[in-house]
Amino acid sequence: MGEFAYFILFLLIVAFLLQVDFIFYIVYVCIGVYAWSRWYTPRGLQRLEVRRRFPERAFYGEQVDVTLEITNRNRLPLPWLQLHESIAVQLRAGPVMRRVLSLGGRKTADCTYTIAGRWRGYYRLGPLRLETGDLFGLFPAQTGHLAADYFTVYPRIIPLSQLGLPSRLPFGTIASRQRLFEDPARPMGVRHFRSGDSLRQINWKVSAHTQELMVRTLEPAISLETAVLLNLHSGDYERRSRLNTVEWAIEVAASLAVHLVNRRQPVGFMTNGVDPLQGTTAAASTFDEESGRLRMQRPFGDQVGQRTLTLPSIIPPRNGRTHLMKILERLARIESDDTISFNQWAPNACLHLSWGVTILAITAAGDEATCHTLHRLVRSGFNPILIVVEPDRNFGHVRQRAQRLGFAAYHVAVRRDLDGWRRPLWRQP
Amino acid sequence: MTPSETSPQPASPQKATIEPLTSRAWNRFVTRPLLLALMATALVVGIVLILQIIRPQRPWHLLLLLSFLAAVEGVYTTLWLHHPDRVAVPKFTYRVAELVFILALFRFIAWAVVGNFPDLEKLNTYILAPLSFFDSDFFTVGIFLILFTWQRGITLSAIFSDLAITRSEAIFYGLESGPTSGLQDSEPLRINRSQLVANFFRQWIWGGVLIILLAAVTTYDLGEAEGLRTLLTGTRLGLAPEMLITMLIYFLAGFWLLSQARLMVMRARWMANRVQKTRPVERSWRRSSIGLLLAAALLAAFLPIGSTIAISRILTAIAFGGLFILNLLISAFFSLVAIILSLLARLAGTDSQPRPELPPPDLSELAPPPEAFTPSQDLQAIFGSFFWAIIVVGAIFAILFFLRERKGFINVKFLQAAWRALKSWWHHFRQGLSSRVKTMQQTIRTRLRASQKGDEAQRAPWRFIRLNALSPRDQIRYFYLSIVRRAGQRGVARQQSETPLEYAQDLAERWPDTEVDIEGLTSAFLKARYSADAVEKEEALTTKEKWRRLRARIRQRLAARKKENDGKETEA
C-alpha cells in the first residue's frame, strides 16, 4: 500500500500544474485518511490499559476465572482489537483465548476465560498479544503485549483425619493418651483428691462447695512439631515409575503438611529436590513450551562432576496458614533431580531442628542405608518416621528393621494406603 | 463468523419466499454492488464529458445511464456466478452470451434514442455491407464505454466475491477444534486475500489517475486548437459539476470499499484462527470507516484551495521554465543536426557529376489496365444474408442461454408468488383505505347532523329491548346502565373517570336509603361485566328486584320534587 503515498504525490503535482482546484479537495481527503490511519492506530494501542485479574494460586482440580480488563483511555473508539492469550496446555479448560472486540471511547471491556489446575506446577499465564490496525489496510497491524503473570497450582491434597504419629514433645495441642503430658490449659473435669496429688491441682471452689477435696483433671496433650523431609533425589527412585512416584511423594508431603497445619502444629519442610525458581525470578526463568510449566534451568557448567546445583532453602517448622502456603508453593514447583543422595543429605539437613522434632521422612524405599540414616536421627534425639512411597512387597522386613532401630515405618505406595489416616475420627477404635 | 456471509442457500422453487434483508445482506447485495457499479461508471464520465464538448449534438449523457446499468448487470452476474450452485455453469460461454445480450439490447436502445430504426432500405444496406451496421458514432462509442464499464464492474465485483468466505471454509472452520484436528487434509486452500485487496487498491488508484487526468482535460476548451497545443495556457472552462460529483463518489466509495475489503480479509483470518468475534465489531468497523470518511470530507471542505497557494505559482513557473529549456535543447539539437547534414551535402556535392535527363517512356504500346473486380449485388446479398443469419442465430442462442441459466433468477413460481403477495397486499390496502374512508364519511356526516340538529342528532336511536330475550349477564348490565341513565337524568351523572364503585359511593351519598340496593346492583354489574364466572338466572332475578326498587325510589323522589315545586309555585 506504499503506492498510496505516490498517488497522493501524483495528485498534488497534477493539481498544482493543471490548477484543478477540486483535485486539492480529493488530495485533502486522501491525506486525511492516510494521516489518521498512520497516527491514530499506534496511539490507540498506546493508550490502552490492560489488566489481568485472577487468583494467583489454585488447588488441584480447581477451575479459576481469568478476566482481562481492557480500558480504552482514548476519547475515540478502537474499531477492532484482537486478543490472543497464551495459556499453558495443562491449564486450558476450553478453547484458546482468541477474541476480537471493539472498544468505545473511554470504555472498558472484560474478557473472561477459565483455566483449570490439572497438574501441580508454576505456570506462566500469557503474554497477551494485542493487535489492532487501521480500517483501510494502509499500514501494517500494530501489536502490543501484556507481560505474563504467574499461576501456581498446588499439589493434590488428600484430606487426612488421623495420623497417629507419635511425639516426644509435651504441651502441644494434640490430645494424647500418655498421662505424662497433661496440659494445664485443657481442664477435663474434677475427681476426689488422692494421696500424692499436687496441691496446685486442687480445685478450691469445688472443694468448698462439696466440702471435700477435689482436684482438677487435665487432658493430656502433646506438641507434634514436625519437619517433612522429602527425598527427591532421582537416583533413589526407580526409573520406570519415577515420574508418578515423585508426584505421589509430593502429594503425600502436601497432604501431611496440610493436615498438621490444620491441627495447629508447626510444620517445616526440607527437600533435596530442585526448585526451578530458586535464586532467580519468574521473568528470567524458562517455561516448557508444551506444558507451560516452569522448566528447570541447568546451571552454567552442567557437566558430570561439575554440578553447582543449589538445593532449595529449608523452611523451618512454623504453624499458620501463611506458612502452609509457603510450603505448598514450594511443593508446587519442586522437581526431582540427580542432586545429593538422601543418606548424605538428611543428617546435615536436620542439624538445625530442635530436639524431639518429628521428622516425616518421605522417600522411595526403606533400604538398609536409609534406615541407618534415620537411626542416626533417633540417636540425635529426633523422632523420625519413615514413609515409603514406592511399592515394596517385602515392606514387613523394613517395618521390623525400623522397629529394631527405634522408629516407625509406613508404606504409602498408593492412595488406598492412606485410608487408615483418612478414616473419620468417630470410627477410630 | 457465521456462515451467512457465504453465498446464500439456493431457494428451492417450491418455497419461493422473500426473506427480509439483514444489515450484512443489505450491504452485500445492495450497497456494495451499487457502489462498485458507480465506481465503474465514474471511469467513463470524463470521456462522456469530453465527447459532449467535442460533439454536443449527440445524447452522450444517456451513455452514462446505460454504462451504469451494464456495470450493475456485470456486478450482479458476477455475484450470481460465484454462488456455489453455479459451479457447473460454463463461465466463458455465459459471459459471451451476456455480452451478446448487452450488445443486442444496446443496439435497439441506440436505434430508439437516435430515432433511426432501420427501414427496408437500411436493412438492405446492412445485408450488402455488414460493416455499415457499426458506422454510427453513438453506437460505436457507446459499445466501447458500455463494455468498458461492464468489464470494470465484473473485475471489481469478482475481487469482492473472491474475498467472501467460501462455503467450504465456513463449514470446515465452523467445526469444533477436536474433529478438525483429524481433518487436516480436508482444510480448504487458503486464499491470498491480502493480494486481492492489494489488487483492488491498485485498480482503484489507477482508475483514480485516469479520472483525475480526464477531469483535468475536461476543464479545457477542446474546441480551440491553441488550447490543445499548449495545455498549460489553454482556455479553461472550469470543472463540470458532473465531474466533481464523479470524483467525490469515486474516491469516497473507493475508500469505503477498501475498508470493507479489509474487513473481509480480517473476517476470514479471524475465522481461520478461530477467533471469537463479538457482534459489534463489524458494526463498529462500518460506522468508524463512514465516520472517518465523512469527517475527512467535511474537514477538507474548509481547507484552502491549492491554486491560490504560492507554491502552485512557483510550480507552474518551474514547469514553464522546464518546458522552455527543453524546447531550447530540442531546437539546438535539431539545428545542429541540420548544420551537420548541410555540411555533408556540400562535401558530397563537390564530387558528383550532373545526371543526363532521360526521355519520357512511350506508353502507347502498353495494354489497357484490367477493369477493377466489382462483385455482383446478388453475391453480396448472399454473403451478407449468410453473415447475418449466423449472427442472428448466434445472438438468439446466446440470449436464450443467458436467460435459461437465469431461470432461478427469473423464477416463474417466484414471480407468481410475488405477484400474489403484491395483489394480497393491494387488496388489504384497498379494503383498509375504503373502510377508513367510510368511517371518515360517517364521522363527518354525524358531525354535520349534530351541528344541524343539535343534541338530538347525537342521541342514539330508540329501540325496543325485550328483557327476557337477553342473557342473565346482559340483563344485569341493562339494569345497571338503566339506573345510571336515570340517575344521570336526576342530577347524579357518572363522570367518565369514575369507576362503578366510586359512582356507587356518589349515589349512596345522594340517596342514603338506597345504599344496600346500589351496592348489590353495582357488585352484580361488576361480576357480569368483568368476571368470567357464569351468571345464573337467579342472580339476574335478584338484581331485577333491586333495580325495580331503585327505579321506584328514583321515581318517588322525582314525584316528590315535582310536588314540592308545584307547592312552591302555588304559594308564589
Side-chain angles (χ1 to χ4, degrees):
Chain A
M1 300 282 179
E3 297 164 16
F4 195 63
Y6 295 115
F7 176 65
I8 292 174
L9 199 65
F10 167 78
L11 285 184
L12 267 176
I13 291 169
V14 171
F16 277 128
L17 281 179
L18 302 179
Q19 296 180 356
V20 181
D21 291 340
F22 193 72
I23 297 176
F24 283 97
Y25 179 81
I26 301 296
V27 170
Y28 292 149
V29 172
C30 291
I31 288 175
V33 171
Y34 187 81
W36 179 262
S37 303
R38 190 177 184 84
W39 176 77
Y40 182 68
T41 310
R43 186 181 167 81
L45 204 59
Q46 278 168 10
R47 302 205 64 190
L48 211 62
E49 276 184 6
V50 188
R51 207 156 60 92
R52 204 181 274 116
R53 279 190 280 126
F54 68 103
E56 290 178 358
R57 300 166 189 86
F59 287 97
Y60 179 89
E62 193 181 359
Q63 288 208 336
V64 167
D65 282 345
V66 182
T67 304
L68 293 166
E69 190 183 286
I70 306 139
T71 307
N72 180 15
R73 291 174 62 83
N74 286 296
R75 285 178 190 279
L76 296 166
L78 208 60
W80 67 277
L81 177 70
Q82 190 180 326
L83 312 169
H84 180 196
E85 175 90 308
S86 302
I87 308 169
V89 177
Q90 287 178 351
L91 290 180
R92 283 180 195 166
V96 183
M97 217 301 282
R98 289 196 193 109
R99 287 197 196 157
V100 60
L101 47 93
S102 64
L103 259 180
R106 308 219 169 205
K107 288 277 169 64
T108 302
D110 283 350
C111 286
T112 304
Y113 63 94
T114 307
I115 52 172
R118 289 198 207 88
W119 195 266
R120 69 160 187 104
Y122 186 74
Y123 296 94
R124 187 170 58 186
L125 211 59
L128 175 73
R129 188 169 184 269
L130 302 149
E131 188 177 340
T132 186
D134 66 305
L135 296 167
F136 304 95
L138 297 174
F139 296 98
Q142 299 284 320
T143 53
H145 292 91
L146 172 68
D149 283 312
Y150 300 94
F151 180 69
T152 306
V153 178
Y154 294 141
R156 177 161 39 190
I157 293 161
I158 300 160
L160 307 174
S161 57
Q162 181 70 28
L163 278 184
L165 302 177
S167 172
R168 292 178 182 177
L169 296 180
F171 307 124
T173 55
I174 299 175
S176 169
R177 291 184 180 185
Q178 291 176 281
R179 315 253 12 128
L180 179 63
F181 306 126
E182 286 180 335
D183 187 352
R186 297 161 74 105
M188 198 166 66
V190 289
R191 64 170 170 79
H192 287 283
F193 178 79
R194 281 188 228 138
S195 175
D197 283 342
S198 169
L199 286 178
R200 286 188 293 180
Q201 298 297 326
I202 295 174
N203 189 331
W204 292 109
K205 284 184 182 173
V206 177
S207 299
H209 186 72
T210 56
Q211 298 293 315
E212 286 180 31
L213 275 178
M214 305 294 282
V215 290
R216 278 193 293 266
T217 55
L218 302 171
E219 192 180 354
I222 55 167
S223 168
L224 189 64
E225 189 172 310
T226 313
V228 177
L229 210 67
L230 180 61
N231 177 20
L232 288 181
H233 176 59
S234 56
D236 292 347
Y237 287 83
E238 254 191 64
R239 182 184 290 272
R240 280 184 303 173
S241 58
R242 185 183 294 160
L243 184 68
N244 291 332
T245 315
V246 165
E247 288 301 317
W248 173 241
I250 290 169
E251 283 177 20
V252 169
S255 305
L256 289 169
V258 169
H259 173 75
L260 290 166
V261 170
N262 285 343
R263 301 299 302 271
R264 299 181 181 177
Q265 299 305 305
V267 182
F269 177 70
M270 290 167 284
T271 181
N272 57 348
V274 176
D275 182 358
L277 208 59
Q278 181 84 21
T280 180
T281 57
S285 305
T286 53
F287 288 78
D288 188 43
E289 290 295 328
E290 286 183 10
S291 66
R293 282 177 70 179
L294 180 65
R295 201 166 56 183
M296 200 165 56
Q297 282 176 303
R298 294 284 169 185
F300 185 74
D302 180 19
Q303 292 171 8
V304 178
Q306 293 184 1
R307 295 186 67 89
T308 55
L309 282 170
T310 50
L311 295 180
S313 58
I314 290 165
I315 301 176
R318 286 203 189 97
N319 52 12
R321 307 296 299 179
T322 316
H323 185 68
L324 176 65
M325 294 298 118
K326 196 174 171 184
I327 293 173
L328 289 179
E329 277 180 20
R330 177 70 59 81
L331 283 167
R333 293 193 302 262
I334 211 83
E335 301 286 347
S336 74
D337 199 8
D338 187 16
T339 49
I340 179 169
S341 72
F342 179 75
N343 299 324
Q344 288 178 324
W345 164 71
N348 295 328
C350 295
L351 280 177
H352 68 286
L353 295 174
S354 313
W355 180 88
V357 168
T358 300
I359 295 169
L360 299 173
I362 300 166
T363 184
D367 55 5
E368 201 169 343
T370 306
C371 288
H372 278 292
T373 304
L374 293 181
H375 177 64
R376 282 172 62 192
L377 293 177
V378 172
R379 292 180 65 184
S380 303
F382 298 112
N383 180 28
I385 294 165
L386 175 65
I387 297 172
V388 175
V389 290
E390 270 188 356
D392 187 357
R393 288 183 181 177
N394 297 320
F395 187 73
H397 296 297
V398 176
R399 190 179 286 127
Q400 285 176 1
R401 189 189 298 140
Q403 261 182 345
R404 279 203 309 276
L405 293 173
F407 59 91
Y410 295 90
H411 188 219
V412 188
V414 288
R415 195 166 173 173
R416 197 176 55 245
D417 294 334
L418 283 175
D419 286 350
W421 294 350
R422 299 174 67 202
R423 202 173 298 148
L425 281 171
W426 61 85
R427 290 176 64 187
Q428 290 284 333
Chain B
M1 172 61 54
T2 55
S4 59
E5 176 57 28
T6 61
S7 303
Q9 296 292 327
S12 61
Q14 285 77 19
K15 292 181 180 177
T17 53
I18 306 165
E19 291 183 6
L21 284 172
T22 59
S23 62
R24 187 183 285 179
W26 182 266
N27 183 38
R28 186 168 184 232
F29 294 111
V30 182
T31 317
R32 200 188 297 156
L34 289 181
L35 286 178
L36 286 171
L38 279 173
M39 276 183 70
T41 313
L43 294 171
V44 298
V45 172
I47 299 170
V48 168
L49 287 179
I50 291 169
L51 290 168
Q52 190 70 34
I53 294 167
I54 295 169
R55 278 198 152 194
Q57 60 272 19
R58 292 284 190 193
W60 298 111
H61 278 96
L62 185 72
L63 286 179
L64 287 180
L65 179 66
L66 295 174
S67 301
F68 176 71
L69 292 176
V72 167
E73 201 280 331
V75 168
Y76 276 107
T77 305
T78 310
L79 207 63
W80 183 78
L81 280 173
H82 267 77
H83 194 281
D85 290 350
R86 317 292 184 311
V87 173
V89 176
K91 301 280 188 303
F92 180 76
T93 316
Y94 192 79
R95 287 293 183 196
V96 171
E98 188 186 358
L99 187 67
V100 171
F101 176 74
I102 290 172
L103 287 179
L105 201 64
F106 178 60
R107 180 65 266 190
F108 282 105
I109 291 170
W111 277 330
V113 168
V114 180
N116 57 348
F117 265 109
D119 49 8
L120 283 174
E121 190 183 345
K122 193 81 175 172
L123 285 175
N124 192 31
T125 314
Y126 287 157
I127 289 169
L128 293 174
L131 287 178
S132 63
F133 189 74
F134 298 95
D135 60 0
S136 161
D137 55 350
F138 182 77
F139 179 64
T140 315
V141 174
I143 282 177
F144 168 72
L145 295 182
I146 285 171
L147 292 187
F148 180 68
T149 49
W150 176 71
Q151 190 273 336
R152 286 285 80 204
I154 288 170
T155 310
L156 294 175
S157 180
I159 290 173
F160 278 87
S161 295
D162 290 340
L163 277 172
I165 290 164
T166 61
R167 187 182 283 181
S168 56
E169 283 177 324
I171 292 168
F172 183 81
Y173 296 118
L175 295 172
E176 292 294 324
S177 56
T180 313
S181 57
L183 298 169
Q184 296 300 328
D185 295 339
S186 307
E187 187 173 0
L189 287 172
R190 293 285 177 106
I191 300 166
N192 192 349
R193 290 188 166 86
S194 300
Q195 188 61 40
L196 288 171
V197 175
N199 187 16
F200 171 76
F201 180 76
R202 209 166 294 127
Q203 297 203 26
W204 174 57
I205 290 287
W206 284 109
V209 169
L210 178 69
I211 287 181
I212 293 289
L213 290 176
L214 287 172
V217 172
T218 56
T219 59
Y220 289 94
D221 189 358
L222 297 171
E224 292 183 9
E226 291 85 0
L228 286 172
R229 201 175 294 163
T230 56
L231 208 56
L232 292 173
T233 56
T235 311
R236 306 297 291 264
L237 296 172
L239 195 67
E242 296 94 329
M243 205 64 230
L244 190 141
I245 293 167
T246 300
M247 285 161 74
L248 199 63
I249 288 174
Y250 182 83
F251 282 99
L252 291 183
F255 267 124
W256 194 78
L257 287 169
L258 188 65
S259 156
Q260 288 298 297
R262 174 77 174 153
L263 174 61
M264 291 167 89
V265 173
M266 295 308 294
R267 202 187 283 155
R269 193 178 296 168
W270 291 332
M271 194 180 70
N273 294 332
R274 298 178 196 284
V275 177
Q276 293 175 6
K277 182 161 62 72
T278 53
R279 186 167 280 276
V281 171
E282 291 188 22
R283 197 177 57 205
S284 169
W285 190 296
R286 286 196 199 101
R287 284 183 183 174
S288 299
S289 57
I290 289 173
L292 175 59
L293 287 176
L294 289 179
L298 191 70
L299 195 67
F302 294 103
L303 292 177
I305 294 300
S307 59
T308 59
I309 303 172
I311 192 168
S312 172
R313 291 167 198 162
I314 294 166
L315 270 175
T316 312
I318 290 170
F320 272 117
L323 283 174
F324 179 72
I325 291 165
L326 192 69
N327 198 16
L328 270 181
L329 286 174
I330 291 168
S331 305
F333 174 74
F334 280 113
S335 305
L336 193 68
V337 170
I339 290 165
I340 291 167
L341 285 175
S342 64
L343 280 172
L344 286 173
R346 274 184 197 173
L347 286 170
T350 50
D351 299 332
S352 63
Q353 297 292 327
R355 290 178 183 177
E357 286 186 4
L358 293 172
D362 185 13
L363 299 175
S364 57
E365 293 176 358
L366 290 174
E371 289 182 5
F373 175 74
T374 51
S376 68
Q377 281 206 341
D378 294 339
L379 202 61
Q380 280 184 347
I382 288 166
F383 276 113
S385 303
F386 185 67
F387 172 77
W388 282 114
I390 291 171
I391 293 292
V392 168
V393 168
I396 289 169
F397 270 109
I399 291 164
L400 285 177
F401 177 73
F402 177 73
L403 294 176
R404 190 189 64 203
E405 287 296 332
R406 287 287 181 105
K407 67 184 175 188
F409 189 71
I410 309 168
N411 189 350
V412 177
K413 285 187 179 174
F414 177 84
L415 291 176
Q416 283 175 349
W419 174 245
R420 276 198 299 273
L422 193 68
K423 271 198 330 188
S424 167
W425 173 82
W426 173 247
H427 183 67
H428 283 294
F429 177 74
R430 207 178 57 179
Q431 272 191 339
L433 197 67
S434 62
S435 70
R436 282 188 184 184
V437 167
K438 278 180 186 171
T439 313
M440 207 175 282
Q441 280 176 346
Q442 187 72 26
T443 312
I444 292 166
R445 215 171 284 159
T446 313
R447 281 185 184 173
L448 283 172
R449 281 180 194 164
S451 62
Q452 286 170 1
K453 298 181 182 177
D455 292 341
E456 282 185 12
Q458 288 183 335
R459 202 176 292 164
W462 182 89
R463 69 189 177 107
F464 179 77
I465 294 174
R466 254 186 347 116
L467 267 179
N468 288 334
L470 296 175
S471 65
R473 190 184 292 273
D474 288 341
Q475 284 182 18
I476 291 172
R477 290 176 70 178
Y478 171 78
F479 298 145
Y480 181 79
L481 293 173
S482 157
I483 292 299
V484 169
R485 185 174 58 82
R486 284 169 190 276
Q489 287 171 351
R490 305 294 179 272
V492 194
R494 179 177 165 268
Q495 304 299 318
Q496 276 197 338
S497 60
E498 264 185 327
T499 63
L501 290 171
E502 288 169 351
Y503 186 57
Q505 279 184 354
D506 283 358
L507 291 173
E509 282 173 11
R510 187 71 179 268
W511 303 313
D513 53 332
T514 61
E515 189 177 351
V516 180
D517 289 335
I518 287 167
E519 278 183 6
L521 182 64
T522 307
S523 60
F525 170 72
L526 287 174
K527 186 186 173 187
R529 174 70 181 81
Y530 298 110
S531 169
D533 298 340
V535 180
E536 301 297 334
K537 202 168 183 178
E538 286 74 24
E539 287 181 52
L541 289 172
T542 318
T543 313
K544 191 175 183 180
E545 286 303 314
K546 289 172 187 168
W547 169 65
R548 277 180 178 164
R549 282 200 296 274
L550 276 171
R551 195 177 59 177
R553 293 275 173 82
I554 291 167
R555 280 177 181 168
Q556 281 171 6
R557 285 184 176 279
L558 188 65
R561 196 181 287 174
K562 275 185 178 176
K563 277 182 184 175
E564 279 178 16
N565 290 338
D566 292 343
K568 282 177 185 176
E569 282 175 4
T570 48
E571 281 174 13

